[in-house]
Amino acid sequence: MSENLLTDRYVILSFNGEEAAGHGSEQNRKNHFLVAARFLELLTDGKLEEKNGEYALGKNLEAAESFGSIFKDKSGYYPLQSWMDAIAGLPGKVCSDMRQKKLEALIDAGTMDVIPSLLESDCDYRMNGIKENAYRSDFNRYRSEKALLKNAVLKNTLTDADVCLIWLLCRDGKWDEIFLPEERKEFEEVLKEVPAKNAFIRSLTACRIEVAPEKGLSRFLSGSEAGKRQDTIFIETETMFPNGEECINAVKSILESNGHICELKSTGSIPVMEIDNILYTLTPDAKRVRVMNIHGVIVSRYHG
């Protein structure tokens, strides 16, 4: 499998930590973005026909296999926005099937796996017997893709495929989750100049893919904030520990016993831990359940 497929890169960065079963409109939007990633992959790889800034599926076998049966009515050349509109209007099952095929391929290749969701460690989920699986990207591949994209931005060596990846991550709300505020601040000056690079990037940055109502997200490639599931959970410990460090070590052991990969990144008043490629803050606390206090740690997404 190629190491540089845009669709692979998008799924590795964007689907990490997502529930495998998927839920409602947010999953539907994400599936449509994956289809858009595949279309943009074919385009940036030169596998679509282009004429005067418009694109056609043409006779390429990969394009025909991916989209020929889906877009039988689009046999001519169309601007990029028309293709994005067509993708946004696809039936949910079409996008879900493409998502399933891509994720199965990445799992078979060892690039992703399916693990118990972090939500299963939440006190309320556990007490109610709720089970949920989530996708986890390969640790090294996730870090590599993130580093490659960051370096391309900071060194101003962005390819068209890199810009497509940023466009997708901004649109589905993941850009602000993958990169911390201080990192994004470094990116701003470079990204402001990106649309001037070529006609394709100018057309891409002007595009929208309106699978659902969108709100402003980023100064770069104004996108849409994906609906967020609850990202704060409470993990109880079996006992009240005399200090926060022992409490956090106990929670780390609990998570690792459930198959999560954990690395404490910083200590102090509010420790930060990386869990399955995602940063979280850990705050020792207690929760009132019926007539008793349960001791443990509040685990929340770290936003800088």
Side-chain angles (χ1 to χ4, degrees):
M1 182 179 293
S2 168
E3 292 291 307
N4 298 305
L5 292 177
L6 173 60
T7 315
D8 288 5
R9 298 173 69 195
Y10 172 65
V11 172
I12 288 163
L13 290 174
S14 187
F15 278 67
N16 180 76
E18 296 290 314
E19 277 71 47
H23 298 288
S25 60
E26 182 178 349
Q27 183 62 69
N28 183 52
R29 292 179 69 253
K30 202 169 194 68
N31 293 347
H32 281 77
F33 288 127
L34 188 153
V35 176
R38 176 58 177 156
F39 181 87
L40 293 169
E41 177 183 297
L42 291 168
L43 190 159
T44 54
D45 283 351
K47 293 173 181 174
L48 300 182
E49 294 181 0
E50 188 271 336
K51 182 168 63 178
N52 299 324
E54 298 187 348
Y55 303 92
L57 297 180
K59 299 179 181 179
N60 182 273
L61 292 178
E62 283 192 54
E65 182 181 351
S66 294
F67 293 106
S69 62
I70 298 174
F71 293 130
K72 293 179 180 178
D73 59 329
K74 295 186 81 66
S75 57
Y77 290 83
Y78 299 91
L80 191 57
Q81 183 62 66
S82 293
W83 285 108
M84 292 299 108
D85 289 342
I87 290 170
L90 287 174
K93 187 178 186 308
V94 169
C95 302
S96 179
D97 289 347
M98 192 174 291
R99 163 184 174 263
Q100 191 64 25
K101 183 178 179 181
K102 171 53 64 177
L103 285 164
E104 286 177 358
L106 291 173
I107 290 168
D108 289 345
T111 306
M112 299 193 81
D113 59 2
V114 178
I115 61 170
S117 170
L118 193 61
L119 289 172
E120 283 195 14
S121 300
D122 177 70
C123 178
D124 291 334
Y125 267 66
R126 189 188 59 76
M127 291 178 67
N128 287 288
I130 299 173
K131 298 295 183 181
E132 188 99 48
N133 287 332
Y135 295 112
R136 179 175 61 196
S137 301
D138 174 77
F139 177 80
N140 292 323
R141 183 67 187 274
Y142 183 90
R143 285 197 170 186
S144 173
E145 291 295 352
K146 183 176 171 179
L148 286 170
L149 189 57
K150 181 177 179 178
N151 289 339
V153 174
L154 296 180
K155 293 179 180 179
N156 201 6
T157 58
L158 288 162
T159 64
D160 286 357
D162 290 330
V163 177
C164 289
L165 181 56
I166 295 172
W167 185 83
L168 290 160
L169 295 173
C170 283
R171 296 284 167 169
D172 78 354
K174 282 286 186 172
W175 179 256
D176 290 351
E177 182 178 303
I178 293 169
F179 295 103
L180 299 175
E182 58 268 26
E183 293 176 306
R184 299 197 301 271
K185 188 175 181 180
E186 289 184 272
F187 299 160
E188 285 187 0
E189 291 304 313
V190 176
L191 295 178
K192 282 193 299 188
E193 305 300 323
V194 166
K197 289 186 69 175
N198 60 47
F200 164 69
I201 291 177
R202 287 194 294 275
S203 66
L204 176 69
T205 56
C207 273
R208 300 184 68 79
I209 177 166
E210 299 190 30
V211 182
E214 296 187 332
K215 300 176 183 178
L217 168 67
S218 171
R219 289 176 59 187
F220 172 64
L221 305 179
S222 174
S224 63
E225 182 68 54
K228 300 294 185 184
R229 63 168 175 80
Q230 179 59 258
D231 62 1
T232 297
I233 66 172
F234 181 83
I235 302 175
E236 78 271 29
T237 54
E238 293 182 359
T239 183
M240 180 178 68
F241 289 91
N243 62 64
E245 182 179 350
E246 287 183 286
C247 185
I248 287 168
N249 285 336
V251 167
K252 183 174 183 288
S253 295
I254 291 169
L255 290 171
E256 289 176 338
S257 69
N258 290 335
H260 299 286
I261 298 174
C262 306
E263 180 182 346
L264 191 62
K265 307 298 286 188
S266 68
T267 58
S269 58
I270 304 179
V272 175
M273 182 180 288
E274 185 177 74
I275 307 171
D276 299 327
N277 304 311
I278 300 172
L279 292 177
Y280 294 87
T281 58
L282 283 74
T283 309
D285 204 346
K287 180 175 182 176
R288 188 77 173 175
V289 178
R290 298 186 179 92
V291 295
M292 61 184 296
N293 287 331
I294 295 178
H295 296 274
V297 169
I298 295 174
V299 179
S300 303
R301 288 285 181 104
Y302 177 70
H303 298 294

